[in-house]
Amino acid sequence: MTPLHGPLRGRGATLDPDARFEPTRREPFDDGWEGDGEAPPPLRTEVTVEHPRRVLAWNQSPDVPFELSLNPYRGCEHGCSYCFARPAHAYVGLSPGLDFESRLFAKVGAAECLQRELARPSHRVTPLALGINTDAYQPVEREWRITRELLEVLAETRHPVSIVTKSALVERDLDLLAPMAERGLVQVAVSLTTLDRSLSRHLEPRAAAPQRRLETIERLTAAGVPVSVLVAPLIPVLTDGELETLLEAGAAAGAVAAGYVLLRLPREVAPLFEDWLRHHHPLKADHILQRLREAHGGKLYDSTFGHRMRGAGAYAELLRQRFRLARRREGLAGRLVELDCGQFQPPARPLKDRVEGQMDLF
């Protein structure tokens, strides 16, 4: 576990742990050379091109509202210190710390892969969750436009899609989203963690500011796109006091449904987030961690289905009751209206794919 020289400007992680599958480990060592204590230069984002063969992922998790998902990128430049997806970077031999938010992978050709997979006779139409592991509208999407290309395929084939984001960049694609919304083919959940701009700045350093996210809800709603406000993650002591205020602000902006997720700290996220707390909120750190343990049977995290999203015990039950009361008071539904799966029009399979499919018979 390699410590940094304090938090880096514009980055979330305060630790740079080794990938858990790597055969070697690094440890800091003072060799006496001058200059070792100097702050490192600004960390630039690097994007590696990845050419996927398949992009659709099916899951059977009983506590998520989707079966089908697609992630245009690996890693996320938003740099949220709490991101549950950080451990996934170990599968490419990179750190869940700074590597996760600065060494990204763009799935170039994802739209063509999606077309091929949607054209298969075996494809079963169910709402596609776009950008679940990492945000499909993270800053690099401005240049790479992979999410935009995917939406063009989904719009053309009239395939239902749901989006979760904390980025205002989703407004760029309103020319696609608004017509899809008219057909009942799209819904968007905007993640809202806090209304405190100062807290958001170091909690989610490259995500849109809270007030900008509320503007995004307003603009999506004005265009006819159904929007849910997702209070995620709800962090004990640090942000849980804002629960009612967040739902009120989301409803005032036009959201028609709401949900919440208690902070999740799987694998390497636990030590990463704890170190972040020690740097930024040292006086609250122990209290926050104790509340999480109360909700997870003495552990910082319990990944059991049905438990991992909300926790259990007195504190978790109090959060559930507060959320239900606040949601009812604001007139928010528990979930958005179901998307229409009956309009799907499969794309024509390219001749090359049809020939290869026929050869597979032999």
Side-chain angles (χ1 to χ4, degrees):
M1 189 76 72
T2 304
L4 308 175
H5 297 276
L8 299 182
R9 183 178 176 82
R11 299 295 179 179
T14 54
L15 284 177
D16 193 25
D18 298 298
R20 65 180 179 276
F21 300 124
E22 295 303 289
T24 59
R25 292 288 182 270
R26 297 170 295 165
E27 293 185 6
F29 174 72
D30 183 5
D31 58 7
W33 283 90
E34 293 183 4
D36 281 357
E38 296 178 359
L43 186 62
R44 297 184 181 277
T45 299
E46 302 175 8
V47 180
T48 299
V49 171
E50 178 179 331
H51 296 286
R53 298 181 63 184
R54 303 187 66 173
V55 291
L56 294 180
W58 292 86
N59 81 83
Q60 297 178 335
S61 302
D63 55 358
V64 294
F66 61 87
E67 297 177 275
L68 184 64
S69 65
L70 194 164
N71 292 287
Y73 301 95
R74 293 181 188 267
C76 187
E77 198 178 8
H78 281 157
C80 303
S81 56
Y82 52 73
C83 185
F84 67 86
R86 285 181 177 272
H89 242 41
Y91 295 110
V92 287
L94 296 176
S95 168
L98 288 179
D99 284 349
F100 176 80
E101 54 194 273
S102 64
R103 298 178 66 179
L104 313 179
F105 294 80
K107 298 181 181 179
V108 173
E112 290 78 7
C113 285
L114 177 60
Q115 279 184 316
R116 289 196 297 270
E117 293 181 65
L118 295 183
R120 290 173 179 158
S122 61
H123 177 68
R124 178 166 57 86
V125 181
T126 184
L128 169 63
L130 184 59
I132 294 299
N133 207 42
T134 57
D135 201 313
Y137 284 101
Q138 59 179 288
V140 292
E141 166 62 16
R142 290 187 177 89
E143 175 185 354
W144 291 86
R145 298 176 67 85
I146 298 173
T147 299
R148 170 76 186 193
E149 294 173 357
L150 291 166
L151 276 179
E152 289 172 346
V153 173
L154 295 169
E156 180 182 355
T157 58
R158 299 185 182 181
H159 196 291
V161 59
S162 64
I163 300 169
V164 179
T165 185
K166 59 186 65 172
S167 172
L169 184 57
V170 66
E171 296 172 12
R172 178 200 65 187
D173 294 334
L174 276 174
D175 62 315
L176 296 172
L177 297 175
M180 293 181 74
E182 288 182 4
R183 295 179 174 275
L185 295 175
V186 68
Q187 54 189 219
V188 176
V190 175
S191 176
L192 200 58
T193 312
T194 178
L195 295 180
D196 184 335
R197 292 177 67 94
S198 176
L199 173 57
S200 179
R201 194 173 298 116
H202 58 261
L203 183 65
E204 310 156 319
R206 298 199 176 197
Q211 289 69 25
R212 185 67 182 90
R213 295 184 218 178
L214 292 173
E215 290 178 7
T216 297
I217 294 175
E218 291 178 352
R219 293 174 183 176
L220 290 170
T221 300
V225 179
V227 181
S228 171
V229 58
L230 181 60
V231 182
L234 192 61
I235 304 175
V237 181
L238 194 61
T239 68
D240 63 355
E242 296 185 69
L243 176 57
E244 290 82 1
T245 306
L246 290 168
L247 293 186
E248 180 182 4
V256 295
Y260 81 96
V261 177
L262 184 63
L263 175 66
R264 298 171 56 194
L265 299 179
R267 296 186 180 273
E268 297 96 329
V269 186
L272 281 167
F273 188 73
E274 180 173 355
D275 194 76
W276 180 90
L277 283 175
R278 303 292 180 192
H279 274 92
H280 293 286
H281 300 278
L283 299 182
K284 296 180 178 180
D286 289 334
H287 192 186
I288 293 169
L289 298 174
Q290 179 56 34
R291 278 281 185 260
L292 284 173
R293 291 188 177 96
E294 290 175 11
H296 293 299
K299 300 181 291 185
L300 282 179
Y301 182 60
D302 183 347
S303 62
T304 304
F305 289 143
H307 174 94
R308 57 181 181 160
M309 302 292 190
R310 302 289 174 86
Y315 173 71
E317 181 58 29
L318 177 61
L319 290 181
R320 274 191 284 269
Q321 292 180 11
R322 286 176 56 197
F323 175 76
R324 283 197 296 265
L325 289 172
R327 190 185 67 194
R328 187 181 308 127
R329 183 170 58 247
E330 301 301 332
L332 296 166
R335 293 181 62 178
L336 292 169
V337 176
E338 295 291 331
L339 297 174
D340 188 348
C341 296
Q343 302 179 48
F344 177 63
Q345 298 177 346
R349 295 182 68 186
L351 177 61
K352 177 177 178 292
D353 289 346
R354 294 201 298 269
V355 171
E356 288 179 351
Q358 292 169 357
M359 292 301 294
D360 289 341
L361 298 175
F362 300 97

